[in-house]
Amino acid sequence: MKTSASLSSLLLATTTSAVHIPRHANTTEYSVKTPPLDTPWTYEVGTNPWPEYPRPLLERSQWKNLNGVWRHQNVSSLDAVNSPPVGQTLENAVLVPSCLESGLSGVQGEYMLYNWYSTEFTVPSDWTGENVLLNFGAVDYEATVFVNGKKAGFNRGGYFAFTLDITSYLTSGTNELLVFAHDPTDSDPYVIPIGKQTLNPSHIFYRPCSGIWQSVWIESAPANYITELNLNADMNGKVSGSITTSTNTSTSVEMTFTPRGGSGSSATHKCTSGDFSFTIDSPQLWSHESPNLYDIDIKVGQDQVKSYTGFRTVSRGVIDGVERPLLNGEFVFFMGTLDQGYWPDGLYTPPSYEAMTYDLKTLKKIGYNGLRKHIKVETDLFYKACDEMGLLLIQDMPSLRPSQTRTLKDCTEETILPNNAQQAEFQRQLQVLIKQFRNYPSIITWVIYNEGWGQITDPPYPEFGLTDLVLQLDPTRLIDATTGWYDHGAGDYSDNHHYANPQCGSPFYSIQSSPYDPSRIGFQGEFGGIGNNVSIEHLWNVQEAIDTINQTYEIDTTLAAWNYRGHELLGELRYQVQEYACSGAVWTQTTDVEGEVNGMLTYDRRFLRPDLAQWNADFGAIYDAAAGRSNSSMKLF
């Protein structure tokens, strides 16, 4: 699949800056390292990756993209952070953003625990008198940032954005930026949120992603600028939230809401920074079927930003005696995939916006109305795309050291679980997840724990306190406290995992999941997982991964058999919707990943397994069955 000339021109036109190449970086030194498998976009990335503005919910007009070819050097210890290589030329060219273990990075290293990055930048002359903010989309896992040899800031957490005000560190002309990235992944004694990453890949656990893997940019802002925007818009037109500024002083605020697409009139509200609440009459509602959005122009003192929202309400209700998830007061059956978000060429980082949205468009084409973002966090542009396309999202918190054990001196084994300090850090990063992404209307549910990974299972059970915390930060969504087993009754969902057959809101269950709890929403958090092996040109060509293919839950020897089994399993799900209390389901999975061959698409995105007519019909039957259970009176909670 080739990027069209018109699309390439459009993408280039959306950024306000050309590719940044530091003076000491020779772009001829950078090239893609041949990955074990490529995609149609691998060799089209070039040296100007991800030119789009990276933060669509708080967008400033004056900005400069720092993505491109930087310099990189792997070092041997954490102590290296104390000796920043100021004014030095680091060993290798590296493409930012990209995982250091990926082919796209130009490094494709292993055990990238300690790494230096360097680049140079200039500040546009028309930013004189403004503050200069340095933004990182995500750096895995810890980032220590130096500007012109001085430490400008530190961030911990491999999935989340952070901003540094670097105004006082700048000089006229060229400025040097150094970043030290420390990523222990699952090395001892660290117990940190890592999702599916591991230093020792095996079947359902994959090659890690270290370093700067999301966009880097600078922007100008006045001395008193917006640092946090929290905004929710519900189905009744109520807009509520808060605005925080850098000086924490009361500042005048003006917000203008305009329906995207030109239909309908604008509405303006004036208030002051801090908490706000007001109502817009008769808004056009956002849903998976009609993803109506409102663009927002926000003025806070001298700071002007653009944002957007969707008016919608997520809640629980009883319909015909069954607990149901509700969108805008109606029961909507969730049908999504387990979406790992891995790429053979970029690992955590998709090759491009076009590549990323190809997955989403494919899911809609098959008939899914959503996805479960599985123990990974994506770029803000991913959530923007889901908002615009009308995809319902379940968002997981990345797991701590999933399903790992250690051998003690007496030769016994124990499950690796967090100590008090590590649990407190997990809780802090969970809060960061909620705060960063709670404004995206497509997200309907937060997941705290997956299948007991990193979950302390002795009382007092932590998921109860964490559920209360999430609800305090975001009372506008549902919470799946424990998807899979070790369910002690917290949260809104009674969530079953079972392969390959579903057990959704049903009077039967396996020992790995708890029985259906009728006081909560019956949900199939994972099922399916049926595999179909393919020829080597579509496989992750690493022998250790190929050797684990038969660990897939079920292997169907032909594509016809795979589609037959899909039809049978979806038929069982339809029956459980029709006869029992099933309210949603997650099929494993969007794409193959490394040694797994159970995706809708192969890992290279070149081969689509589903018979579209069959799967469209099967999903239609499931949605019809759910609609048939929705014709009774309901009570909102």
Side-chain angles (χ1 to χ4, degrees):
M1 185 176 192
K2 299 294 184 182
T3 305
S4 67
S6 59
L7 179 59
S8 298
S9 300
L10 177 61
L11 293 181
L12 289 172
T14 61
T15 182
T16 64
S17 67
V19 59
H20 170 73
I21 304 297
R23 288 186 300 175
H24 57 266
N26 183 349
T27 57
T28 60
E29 294 181 21
Y30 167 76
S31 62
V32 177
K33 288 288 181 70
T34 303
L37 182 67
D38 62 21
T39 72
W41 303 273
T42 303
Y43 300 102
E44 296 184 348
V45 172
T47 56
N48 185 21
W50 288 93
E52 301 85 2
Y53 186 85
R55 192 185 56 212
L57 289 182
L58 192 64
E59 180 175 348
R60 291 190 170 90
S61 59
Q62 291 188 305
W63 73 290
K64 184 174 183 178
N65 197 332
L66 299 189
N67 293 345
V69 179
W70 292 28
R71 303 296 301 185
H72 160 263
Q73 189 165 316
N74 183 239
V75 292
S76 60
S77 75
L78 188 58
D79 290 339
V81 72
N82 298 315
S83 302
V86 178
Q88 302 177 32
T89 300
L90 304 185
E91 289 180 355
N92 309 304
V94 64
L95 190 69
V96 170
S98 55
C99 307
L100 289 172
E101 294 85 352
S102 72
L104 282 178
S105 72
V107 177
Q108 200 164 243
E110 295 181 336
Y111 296 95
M112 308 301 286
L113 275 65
Y114 314 103
N115 298 275
W116 278 109
Y117 289 84
S118 70
T119 191
E120 295 173 345
F121 66 92
T122 58
V123 177
S125 59
D126 58 355
W127 293 10
T128 302
E130 295 281 286
N131 285 36
V132 177
L133 309 180
L134 173 63
N135 303 280
F136 292 85
V139 182
D140 198 358
Y141 170 69
E142 294 176 335
T144 308
V145 180
F146 299 83
V147 177
N148 294 322
K150 297 179 180 179
K151 183 178 177 180
F154 171 82
N155 184 75
R156 175 178 291 126
Y159 296 93
F160 309 115
F162 62 99
T163 297
L164 303 173
D165 189 332
I166 60 171
T167 311
S168 62
Y169 302 99
L170 298 174
T171 62
S172 59
T174 300
N175 294 274
E176 182 184 45
L177 173 60
L178 291 168
V179 180
F180 184 80
H182 170 219
D183 183 19
T185 311
D186 55 352
S187 60
D188 283 329
Y190 296 93
V191 181
I192 63 175
I194 56 174
K196 289 287 192 85
Q197 300 180 75
T198 177
L199 293 170
N200 301 289
S202 178
H203 194 46
I204 66 169
F205 300 106
Y206 317 132
R207 184 175 291 195
C209 171
S210 300
I212 304 172
W213 66 277
Q214 290 190 26
S215 289
V216 185
W217 74 103
I218 57 172
E219 60 190 359
S220 73
N224 185 28
Y225 57 88
I226 301 170
T227 56
E228 184 177 356
L229 171 66
N230 174 24
L231 188 150
N232 176 69
D234 72 16
M235 62 182 286
N236 298 312
K238 182 180 178 181
V239 180
S240 58
S242 62
I243 291 177
T244 305
T245 66
S246 56
T247 63
N248 284 315
T249 57
S250 180
T251 309
S252 62
V253 174
E254 181 177 295
M255 290 183 273
T256 299
F257 291 71
T258 303
R260 186 173 294 181
S263 61
S265 57
S266 297
T268 298
H269 178 77
K270 295 182 179 181
C271 57
T272 56
S273 56
D275 296 337
F276 58 80
S277 179
F278 55 91
T279 299
I280 291 179
D281 293 335
S282 305
Q284 302 171 27
L285 300 188
W286 184 95
S287 73
H288 59 298
E289 294 177 326
S290 300
N292 298 307
L293 297 173
Y294 280 69
D295 293 313
I296 313 173
D297 292 303
I298 304 175
K299 297 179 183 178
V300 179
Q302 299 300 311
D303 197 13
Q304 297 187 33
V305 301
K306 291 184 179 297
S307 189
Y308 73 87
T309 193
F311 286 83
R312 59 98 182 96
T313 297
V314 178
S315 60
R316 279 173 61 179
V318 175
I319 299 179
D320 197 22
V322 179
E323 287 283 346
R324 299 294 193 187
L326 306 175
L327 178 63
N328 299 330
E330 298 181 355
F331 168 37
V332 173
F333 188 90
F334 177 94
M335 190 72 230
T337 54
L338 195 72
D339 193 82
Q340 311 274 11
Y342 271 80
W343 296 80
D345 45 14
L347 302 180
Y348 261 20
T349 308
S352 65
Y353 186 84
E354 180 192 18
M356 180 187 73
T357 54
Y358 176 80
D359 281 6
L360 302 178
K361 292 173 183 176
T362 299
L363 292 182
K364 293 206 72 170
K365 181 169 65 175
I366 298 168
Y368 292 100
N369 63 13
L371 57 91
R372 175 184 163 201
K373 179 45 62 179
H374 188 41
I375 54 178
K376 184 200 174 190
V377 176
E378 296 289 352
T379 69
D380 286 77
L381 292 171
F382 177 91
Y383 301 94
K384 173 178 179 280
C386 292
D387 291 344
E388 292 174 342
M389 294 169 62
L391 281 165
L392 305 173
L393 282 181
I394 295 174
Q395 176 62 55
D396 290 12
M397 173 65 189
S399 298
L400 299 163
R401 293 289 290 270
S403 195
Q404 294 188 356
T405 60
R406 63 166 62 97
T407 302
L408 304 179
K409 291 181 179 179
D410 62 1
C411 297
T412 61
E413 285 193 346
E414 69 173 6
T415 301
I416 295 176
L417 291 171
N419 60 29
N420 289 340
Q422 292 161 344
Q423 180 67 18
E425 179 61 20
F426 175 80
Q427 176 174 313
R428 184 192 72 82
Q429 292 191 35
L430 175 63
Q431 293 179 74
V432 175
L433 170 74
I434 305 304
K435 288 182 177 180
Q436 182 174 337
F437 297 101
R438 62 188 172 186
N439 290 356
Y440 289 102
S442 55
I443 298 175
I444 60 170
T445 295
W446 303 111
V447 172
I448 299 174
Y449 287 113
N450 174 77
E451 295 186 350
W453 296 350
Q455 179 186 354
I456 298 168
T457 55
D458 296 324
Y461 305 119
E463 62 268 26
F464 284 94
L466 293 175
T467 297
D468 290 342
L469 176 65
V470 173
L471 189 62
Q472 179 183 358
L473 292 170
D474 179 17
T476 71
R477 291 178 175 86
L478 303 178
I479 302 170
D480 194 344
T482 55
T483 179
W485 35 97
Y486 304 134
D487 181 3
H488 304 108
D492 296 298
Y493 291 86
S494 178
D495 188 335
N496 177 287
H497 288 193
H498 190 256
Y499 292 101
N501 309 69
Q503 301 175 340
C504 184
S506 67
F508 44 86
Y509 66 99
S510 64
I511 60 172
Q512 291 179 321
S513 284
S514 302
Y516 164 59
D517 174 4
S519 70
R520 293 180 294 156
I521 298 165
F523 195 76
Q524 191 67 46
E526 296 182 26
F527 82 115
I530 56 176
N532 167 245
N533 205 350
V534 291
S535 54
I536 189 64
E537 63 264 28
H538 297 299
L539 289 174
W540 179 250
N541 196 1
V542 174
Q543 192 59 48
E544 293 85 355
I546 293 172
D547 291 343
T548 65
I549 284 174
N550 278 336
Q551 294 179 28
T552 302
Y553 306 104
E554 171 183 308
I555 294 289
D556 303 312
T557 57
T558 67
L559 192 61
W562 185 88
N563 275 288
Y564 163 78
R565 285 290 292 144
H567 175 68
E568 290 296 304
L569 296 173
L570 293 176
E572 289 188 38
L573 182 70
R574 177 194 53 75
Y575 184 84
Q576 291 166 24
V577 175
Q578 181 178 302
E579 300 296 330
Y580 301 133
C582 182
S583 291
V586 177
W587 180 279
T588 303
Q589 57 189 342
T590 303
T591 73
D592 298 349
V593 186
E594 299 193 7
E596 296 182 88
V597 291
N598 51 358
M600 298 287 103
L601 289 159
T602 51
Y603 197 20
D604 60 0
R605 275 71 171 178
R606 288 187 170 97
F607 185 75
L608 180 67
R609 289 189 176 94
D611 177 317
L612 290 180
Q614 174 197 303
W615 285 69
N616 287 170
D618 287 338
F619 285 143
I622 291 169
Y623 297 140
D624 288 344
R629 299 292 304 273
S630 304
N631 296 325
S632 301
S633 60
M634 65 184 180
K635 178 181 69 176
L636 290 178
F637 282 81

